[in-house]
Amino acid sequence: MGADSKAGQGGESLLFLTDEQLRKGIEAMFFAYRAFTADPDRILENYDYGRAHHRAIHFIHRQPGLTVNALLGTLGVTKQSLNRVLRTLVDDGLVEARVGRRDKRERNLFLTEKGALLERELSDAQRARMRAAYRAAGPAAVAGFRQVLEAMMDPDIRRQYQAIKDGAA
Amino acid sequence: MGADSKAGQGGESLLFLTDEQLRKGIEAMFFAYRAFTADPDRILENYDYGRAHHRAIHFIHRQPGLTVNALLGTLGVTKQSLNRVLRTLVDDGLVEARVGRRDKRERNLFLTEKGALLERELSDAQRARMRAAYRAAGPAAVAGFRQVLEAMMDPDIRRQYQAIKDGAA
DNA sequence: TTGGAAAGTCAACATCGCTGACATAAAATC
DNA sequence: GATTTTATGTCAGCGATGTTGACTTTCCAA
């Protein structure tokens, strides 16, 4: 719909940037994001963890050995906030915090086997929904989806995001 | 990562559903959503309101006269949670809750002039970012963006979302 | 007239942000 | 070697927003 449909309700033939169209995009973000977090949220309940734990686990998995400071930057929260979460994960044996080799002040974060297991469970659920959405929408839509999301990010974060783009593997 | 991508960075020509590709989509959602909420959040600080207030204002604006129960359903929160937010908005004179005409138990919610003003300020900021992202990505990308987001929603919500699709205007 | 739906309210609690203050260890610099 | 800076951890308290549970009032509808 949209850009090229001349008829329709709002006559947004070429101009697809009407307030109405933009409002629809805004709502789509809200509803989709809620669905996107719903599956992991359900799983996390069983473990008495929250979304904050999920995010920490995700990024430690993505970049094993990253420091607390680096994780802080990625998540955009305070160290006190992250510490609370990280402590429970370490105490519960999901995350290992090794003293840095070069710099002994730093802690390099890794998932334990137990942590990797939960990561799998969470990301499996999230990937399943994402995969279904991708399949339903098709390859061209997926490319557009990613393009718009990237354009929406703050530049600093976008650079960080693209840096790991297909690396980290 | 790897096996199937022939090109350098973005070789998601045919097989775009590798775990790596899906993970990138997941992260894109996370980072983009954070940016998406950042602008309104900054504005809300000046008024001592939070995201919950923003959401209420948005949906009352979209559908003037909707009942508390309907809003509850759209937002997916408990009535106690919504009530706290709604009360401050009514007390502060941003929202008017008129007793229902047909059914006097219901309250039909409307934005006051003051409420509409804040709604404008918030949605202007959010639309500006959305518009910039749309412009950067192009019309085709926008269509794909919306398709994937819609496919990601829970079916019930998607129906609700599409029902107001280009109506309400 | 009675049952139940819609709304409002009170209390208590959990998560997860935040600020501020302070401690420790180690690197970096003077 | 002494001092400063950095990375991390921790305590205490606060605020926003979600939750459950219990209870009341109003009022439509059977």
Side-chain angles (χ1 to χ4, degrees), chain A residues 21 36 111 146:
Chain A
Q21 286 296 319
F36 167 75
L111 292 185
R146 287 272 297 272

PDB file of all heavy atoms in Angstrom, chain A residues 21 36 111 146:
ATOM      1  N   GLN A  21       0.190   9.031   7.277  1.00  0.00           N
ATOM      2  CA  GLN A  21       1.112   7.939   6.966  1.00  0.00           C
ATOM      3  C   GLN A  21       2.185   7.809   8.043  1.00  0.00           C
ATOM      4  O   GLN A  21       2.545   6.710   8.443  1.00  0.00           O
ATOM      5  CB  GLN A  21       1.769   8.187   5.600  1.00  0.00           C
ATOM      6  CG  GLN A  21       0.838   7.944   4.425  1.00  0.00           C
ATOM      7  CD  GLN A  21       0.415   6.496   4.337  1.00  0.00           C
ATOM      8  OE1 GLN A  21       1.224   5.602   4.535  1.00  0.00           O
ATOM      9  NE2 GLN A  21      -0.848   6.262   4.057  1.00  0.00           N
ATOM     10  N   PHE A  36       7.316  -8.014  19.634  1.00  0.00           N
ATOM     11  CA  PHE A  36       8.717  -8.425  19.520  1.00  0.00           C
ATOM     12  C   PHE A  36       9.331  -8.784  20.874  1.00  0.00           C
ATOM     13  O   PHE A  36      10.164  -9.675  20.984  1.00  0.00           O
ATOM     14  CB  PHE A  36       9.462  -7.260  18.861  1.00  0.00           C
ATOM     15  CG  PHE A  36      10.944  -7.309  18.906  1.00  0.00           C
ATOM     16  CD1 PHE A  36      11.652  -8.169  18.078  1.00  0.00           C
ATOM     17  CD2 PHE A  36      11.651  -6.457  19.750  1.00  0.00           C
ATOM     18  CE1 PHE A  36      13.043  -8.183  18.102  1.00  0.00           C
ATOM     19  CE2 PHE A  36      13.036  -6.471  19.779  1.00  0.00           C
ATOM     20  CZ  PHE A  36      13.734  -7.332  18.956  1.00  0.00           C
ATOM     21  N   LEU A 111      29.451 -15.660  28.528  1.00  0.00           N
ATOM     22  CA  LEU A 111      28.348 -16.520  28.955  1.00  0.00           C
ATOM     23  C   LEU A 111      28.920 -17.871  29.362  1.00  0.00           C
ATOM     24  O   LEU A 111      29.820 -18.397  28.711  1.00  0.00           O
ATOM     25  CB  LEU A 111      27.343 -16.723  27.810  1.00  0.00           C
ATOM     26  CG  LEU A 111      26.523 -15.508  27.373  1.00  0.00           C
ATOM     27  CD1 LEU A 111      25.507 -15.927  26.321  1.00  0.00           C
ATOM     28  CD2 LEU A 111      25.830 -14.852  28.550  1.00  0.00           C
ATOM     29  N   ARG A 146      15.023  -3.084   7.186  1.00  0.00           N
ATOM     30  CA  ARG A 146      16.334  -2.809   7.786  1.00  0.00           C
ATOM     31  C   ARG A 146      16.811  -1.397   7.457  1.00  0.00           C
ATOM     32  O   ARG A 146      17.390  -0.703   8.295  1.00  0.00           O
ATOM     33  CB  ARG A 146      17.352  -3.840   7.295  1.00  0.00           C
ATOM     34  CG  ARG A 146      17.161  -5.224   7.893  1.00  0.00           C
ATOM     35  CD  ARG A 146      17.913  -5.376   9.196  1.00  0.00           C
ATOM     36  NE  ARG A 146      19.334  -5.255   8.976  1.00  0.00           N
ATOM     37  CZ  ARG A 146      20.125  -6.274   8.668  1.00  0.00           C
ATOM     38  NH1 ARG A 146      19.647  -7.494   8.596  1.00  0.00           N
ATOM     39  NH2 ARG A 146      21.413  -6.087   8.456  1.00  0.00           N
TER      40      ARG A 146
END
